Amino acid sequence: MQAVILVGGKGTRLRPLTADRPKPLVPVVDRPFLGHALEWVARHGLTDVVLCCGFRSDAVVEAIGDGSAFGVHVTWVFEPEPRGTAGALKMAEEYLQDRFVLINGDVLTDMDLTAQLRAHEETGARATLALVPVEDPSAYGLVRLEDDGRVRGFLEKPKPEEIDTDLISAGAYVLERDVLDLIPAGREVSIEREVWPRLVGEGLFGFVHQGAYWMDIGTPQRYVQGVGDVLNGAVRTETLERLAGCPVAAGAHVDDTAEVALGAHVASGARVGPDARIGAGTVVAEGAFVGAGATLDRVVLLPGAWIGAGAVLRDCVIGEGATLGDAVRVADHVIIADGAKVEAGTILGLAGVARPRDAAGRTTPAREAAAH
Ligand code: GDD
Ligand code: MG
């Protein structure tokens, strides 16, 4: 069966990580983010994938190619300008079969699509939305559900006073092809605002994914968390099998006196110096270097990042080829841009890091890092 994946978004909240890199290509352990989505749909037998692209598609095409590295075959559909979630799907019409799965390309999840497809067949729905409970539905599509699985109401980005359930649309839908008839061609159309409301009472069902992992990785906090959850297995991915419980890959150079926790990943070609400590939830990507005595907890080092001796990094992302001098401290979900140079002793992300105090007990102001 087919999966259509929407990968048109800009990922503005992950800047500068997404300044020169489309969000689908942000690395998550050993794969670009989109690679995990492809492996997830392939696991459910959806190996015929249509990728609907808008923004920066050249780099995405180059990284994903024909999809075979991820167990799928990809057909590419490009928009002349962003057409919205339904408009993008409409552009793929000529490739689509009678029934297919539509996926938002920005969530990290292991939802059981096989079970959702089965439920869709049993109810005879025209569209079945994947649903997950979240604490705050306000940033999502709120779904009011009847006991028999029919959707009673759909509200995109509900106002606080409208929230009367914790169930939201998780961005994975089983659709019958005739749903395309509800989408006008040639203009921007939102599936959430123009299609789901019209299908309420007309064959729109929801399927609640109990106990599945689900996260929109679109903010620095959730990105760092998502990387950690791939490493600790909270979300089921093929990566866990590839890493096979071994935090140090063959071809990585880790000094005998360094410590690498289970639930960390030091990639082939990475180097870790004496007495460094690499904590769980940390990735040291290929070509990255960690200096003597540095401490890293829940940190994503992108390829070729260089960390000076005695650095203390926590809950942060260090861009490709960025250089941090000795004793730099970074915390609190700061993202250091690709290629940035941070002077020795700089402190960034102040709340989480103990800073030197002056004689009056005041903490010293942080120095501005060269973020670009
Ligand atoms: N090709 C293409 N063209 N893709 C698009 C376009 C477009 O014009 N606009 C958005 N997308 C893609 C985004 O890249 C993303 O993968 C997906 O469609 C959803 O768009 P977002 O902009 O991320 O929407 P959202 O997160 O605010 O809300 C959506 O996702 C929630 C779950 O994360 C909605 O579907 C909500 O109902 C849902 O709860
Ligand atoms: Mg989103």
Side-chain angles (χ1 to χ4, degrees):
M1 195 177 293
Q2 285 177 310
V4 182
I5 307 185
L6 301 173
V7 286
K10 290 207 170 122
T12 47
R13 289 177 302 174
L14 278 178
R15 279 181 192 152
L17 201 54
T18 47
D20 294 316
R21 182 186 287 112
K23 186 164 151 188
L25 299 188
V26 169
V28 176
V29 190
D30 64 340
R31 286 282 186 265
F33 177 67
L34 180 57
H36 292 286
L38 295 174
E39 291 182 339
W40 164 56
V41 297
R43 204 186 309 145
H44 292 281
L46 308 169
T47 50
D48 180 3
V49 173
V50 180
L51 283 178
C52 295
C53 289
F55 184 68
R56 283 190 195 273
S57 35
D58 292 354
V60 182
V61 174
E62 198 180 311
I64 304 297
D66 65 0
S68 53
F70 307 96
V72 298
H73 179 267
V74 171
T75 303
W76 297 91
V77 176
F78 303 104
E79 289 146 72
E81 71 277 322
R83 285 283 169 87
T85 43
L89 173 66
K90 186 74 174 177
M91 293 225 30
E93 188 162 18
E94 63 181 292
Y95 302 107
L96 298 176
Q97 294 160 356
D98 289 344
R99 179 178 296 158
F100 55 88
V101 177
L102 177 65
I103 306 271
N104 285 353
D106 64 348
V107 291
L108 179 64
T109 182
D110 54 13
M111 292 187 297
D112 185 351
L113 292 173
T114 306
Q116 186 179 342
L117 272 158
R118 205 180 307 126
H120 178 87
E121 277 167 29
E122 280 166 12
T123 56
R126 288 173 78 192
T128 302
L129 314 181
L131 307 180
V132 290
V134 294
E135 259 173 44
D136 177 12
S138 59
Y140 303 108
L142 181 99
V143 178
R144 298 181 177 133
L145 203 63
E146 303 283 10
D147 290 342
D148 66 356
R150 270 170 227 277
V151 172
R152 182 160 45 86
F154 185 96
L155 265 182
E156 185 64 15
K157 312 284 187 293
K159 298 190 188 75
E161 63 273 18
E162 293 172 321
I163 296 173
D164 51 7
T165 168
D166 61 358
L167 286 181
I168 60 133
S169 167
Y173 329 105
V174 185
L175 300 181
E176 297 297 303
R177 195 176 201 283
D178 69 1
V179 170
L180 290 165
D181 300 341
L182 300 174
I183 308 171
R187 70 163 170 92
E188 186 177 348
V189 188
S190 158
I191 208 160
E192 296 84 359
R193 295 183 192 277
E194 298 185 52
V195 179
W196 304 147
R198 283 181 63 189
L199 272 177
V200 171
E202 303 286 335
L204 186 63
F205 283 70
F207 178 82
V208 182
H209 286 271
Q210 302 286 2
Y213 181 96
W214 185 87
M215 170 130 48
D216 177 329
I217 61 146
T219 66
Q221 286 83 346
R222 294 200 298 249
Y223 170 62
V224 170
Q225 171 88 43
V227 168
D229 288 342
V230 168
L231 288 170
N232 68 28
V235 54
R236 184 182 159 201
T237 64
E238 268 46 30
T239 294
L240 211 58
E241 280 151 47
R242 278 191 291 271
L243 302 186
C246 184
V248 179
H253 302 280
V254 177
D255 189 274
D256 286 348
T257 58
E259 253 179 65
V260 180
L262 280 173
H265 175 59
V266 181
S268 179
R271 288 175 299 147
V272 177
D275 297 317
R277 204 179 61 72
I278 310 296
T282 296
V283 175
V284 183
E286 57 279 5
F289 168 80
V290 179
T295 304
L296 279 63
D297 283 301
R298 298 175 303 278
V299 174
V300 183
L301 296 190
L302 296 191
W306 195 97
I307 310 302
V312 180
L313 311 183
R314 195 165 75 202
D315 299 306
C316 60
V317 182
I318 312 299
E320 202 161 327
T323 309
L324 274 54
D326 292 351
V328 164
R329 292 169 166 236
V330 186
D332 283 346
H333 304 101
V334 165
I335 297 181
I336 304 292
D338 293 346
K341 294 201 176 0
V342 180
E343 211 185 306
T346 303
I347 299 175
L348 289 164
L350 304 169
V353 182
R355 282 180 288 148
R357 287 172 189 274
D358 64 14
R362 290 181 303 243
T363 53
T364 49
R367 263 182 279 161
E368 279 290 310
H372 292 283

mmCIF file of all heavy atoms in Angstrom, residues 41 65 296:
data_model
loop_
_atom_site.group_PDB
_atom_site.id
_atom_site.type_symbol
_atom_site.label_atom_id
_atom_site.label_comp_id
_atom_site.label_asym_id
_atom_site.label_seq_id
_atom_site.Cartn_x
_atom_site.Cartn_y
_atom_site.Cartn_z
ATOM 1 N N VAL A 41 7.073 3.627 8.126
ATOM 2 C CA VAL A 41 5.983 3.209 7.226
ATOM 3 C C VAL A 41 6.328 1.888 6.543
ATOM 4 O O VAL A 41 5.459 1.030 6.352
ATOM 5 C CB VAL A 41 5.580 4.301 6.197
ATOM 6 C CG1 VAL A 41 5.040 5.527 6.904
ATOM 7 C CG2 VAL A 41 6.690 4.661 5.231
ATOM 8 N N GLY A 65 17.080 10.124 -2.220
ATOM 9 C CA GLY A 65 17.210 9.410 -3.494
ATOM 10 C C GLY A 65 15.956 8.625 -3.835
ATOM 11 O O GLY A 65 14.844 9.135 -3.701
ATOM 12 N N LEU A 296 29.426 15.745 28.639
ATOM 13 C CA LEU A 296 28.278 15.976 27.748
ATOM 14 C C LEU A 296 27.081 15.169 28.234
ATOM 15 O O LEU A 296 27.182 13.944 28.362
ATOM 16 C CB LEU A 296 28.613 15.542 26.312
ATOM 17 C CG LEU A 296 29.414 16.509 25.431
ATOM 18 C CD1 LEU A 296 30.801 16.765 25.980
ATOM 19 C CD2 LEU A 296 29.505 15.962 24.012
#
